[in-house]
Amino acid sequence: MALIRPGDSEPPGSEGAVPSARPAPGRSDDQAGHALRAPSKLHAFNRYEIKYLMPSSAVPALRKELASRLDVDSHGVGGGYGVWSVYYDTRDLRFYWEKIEGLRFRRKLRVRHYGDRLTVNDHSTVFVEIKQRVNRVTQKRRVALPYHLARDLLDRRVMVEHEPTQRAFLEEVLDLLCRLDLRPVAMTGYQREAFVGRGAEAGLRVTVDRRVRGRDRDFHLGADAENRLIVPARLAVVEMKANERVPYWLTDLAAGLSMSVVRISKYCQGVEAFGRVPRSIFHVSDDEPAGAAVPATALSEA
């Protein structure tokens, strides 16, 4: 199955989208795959996403196939990197329910850090981000800020120093916080491996997330607080993200490894794992099977 981009104009919020530039001959350039992680001005992009669950034991087979066709994200050489996020929501979990109910337009607000959470301090770079879904397209807008400024904005609800290009976005964030009375609800963290396309597939990105953990308190990103698994350790979450279409070879690979397409949200997993709401039909629990068995040949070749 491939996802085809409609031929109409881009939805609102696509201004400043990262171009899918072709790398120079002989040079691996993954800028298009993770350019939003550069601490610069406001960034935005639109993508299609497919999510899968697979047994963690099958990840080596997937990694081998991906490495033969894609480049390893330069930020994740040597085992990947940590991704830590604090999600904001209303008292009645409006953003959670928008996801569960599958609204055609929905969004969530979060602050995110890449790397070792125990190194986070006031001056660490974090990303304040609005991620939203418009029909089948995922849109993400974010700005990079020092953590102390991000906390001023999100927790103290005051406008912070900014560049002119960031003003409209920061005002939107502040409006959401004040109008909906948002507060931190859940924190998630996981170890991510990422692969990015090259050449004609420069906009393609595949991520493999394992050891998905979370907590429902102590929301400072650098807090030395206990986290617990919110997705069973035997499972990995795989996301395929593309600007226009997911290549057929990639979806064929997923089928060959018996990967299961799922509707999963790490934020929703966290909310349900800590008993904030009854578990939905989309919840992945410890007593559920991993899905169809991975072919023995795929495992033996890993």
Side-chain angles (χ1 to χ4, degrees):
M1 178 182 66
L3 298 181
I4 309 300
R5 187 179 198 126
D8 55 3
S9 59
E10 292 186 351
S14 61
E15 302 90 294
V18 178
S20 299
R22 182 182 297 274
R27 185 173 75 92
S28 174
D29 189 348
D30 58 5
Q31 180 179 4
H34 58 70
L36 295 187
R37 293 184 48 197
S40 57
K41 302 176 182 179
L42 172 67
H43 291 287
F45 70 99
N46 302 328
R47 275 182 174 159
Y48 292 99
E49 296 182 357
I50 311 178
K51 294 182 179 180
Y52 296 86
L53 274 181
M54 69 182 304
S56 296
S57 59
V59 168
L62 175 64
R63 183 190 298 118
K64 179 180 178 180
E65 293 296 329
L66 292 177
S68 70
R69 302 285 295 262
L70 305 174
D71 293 330
V72 176
D73 184 326
S74 60
H75 289 82
V77 175
Y81 50 88
V83 181
W84 297 91
S85 305
V86 175
Y87 289 86
Y88 288 71
D89 209 334
T90 64
R91 290 183 184 273
D92 58 359
L93 303 178
R94 170 176 173 167
F95 296 159
Y96 166 86
W97 288 110
E98 287 179 352
K99 168 65 177 179
I100 294 300
E101 294 170 4
L103 297 191
R104 296 174 69 85
F105 174 81
R106 57 184 185 267
R107 59 189 166 185
K108 51 193 170 189
L109 174 67
R110 65 191 180 198
V111 57
R112 172 166 286 188
H113 171 71
Y114 295 92
D116 184 351
R117 66 185 175 90
L118 297 181
T119 66
V120 175
N121 57 44
D122 282 350
H123 303 289
S124 298
T125 297
V126 299
F127 297 88
V128 175
E129 181 174 290
I130 292 177
K131 185 176 182 180
Q132 62 192 37
R133 180 81 171 227
V134 180
N135 296 321
R136 293 168 57 226
V137 179
T138 298
Q139 302 177 346
K140 187 186 294 186
R141 290 169 294 144
R142 58 164 39 159
V143 293
L145 292 173
Y147 190 30
H148 70 96
L149 290 184
R151 294 203 314 277
D152 284 344
L153 175 69
L154 298 172
D155 298 330
R156 302 179 184 95
R157 303 181 185 181
V158 297
M159 181 56 72
V160 298
E161 298 177 10
H162 59 272
E163 298 182 25
T165 55
Q166 299 173 342
R167 182 171 185 82
F169 176 75
L170 294 177
E171 287 179 343
E172 180 181 353
V173 170
L174 194 56
D175 174 70
L176 278 175
L177 288 161
C178 296
R179 179 165 49 85
L180 300 181
D181 191 23
L182 302 182
R183 73 277 319 285
V185 167
M187 181 171 176
T188 65
Y190 41 88
Q191 191 71 9
R192 166 166 286 181
E193 294 181 73
F195 301 83
V196 294
R198 53 179 177 258
E201 296 179 343
L204 178 65
R205 182 172 175 83
V206 181
T207 58
V208 183
D209 299 332
R210 292 189 287 174
R211 297 181 62 231
V212 183
R213 293 149 285 164
R215 62 178 186 258
D216 63 347
R217 63 200 69 192
D218 300 322
F219 291 123
H220 189 288
L221 282 168
D224 185 11
E226 182 180 359
N227 295 286
R228 60 180 256 197
L229 289 170
I230 59 175
V231 173
R234 58 186 173 78
L235 296 176
V237 180
V238 179
E239 298 183 28
M240 300 178 183
K241 310 169 187 182
N243 292 341
E244 295 185 357
R245 61 173 62 86
V246 174
Y248 287 109
W249 69 262
L250 193 50
T251 52
D252 288 345
L253 172 62
L257 291 175
S258 299
M259 294 164 58
S260 303
V261 176
V262 293
R263 181 180 165 190
I264 186 173
S265 160
K266 299 183 185 75
Y267 167 57
C268 292
Q269 280 287 129
V271 169
E272 295 173 9
F274 289 98
R276 295 290 300 270
V277 295
R279 294 187 173 183
S280 70
I281 61 173
F282 308 109
H283 188 81
V284 179
S285 60
D286 283 314
D287 56 0
E288 287 190 27
V294 176
T297 53
L299 296 178
S300 63
E301 294 173 358

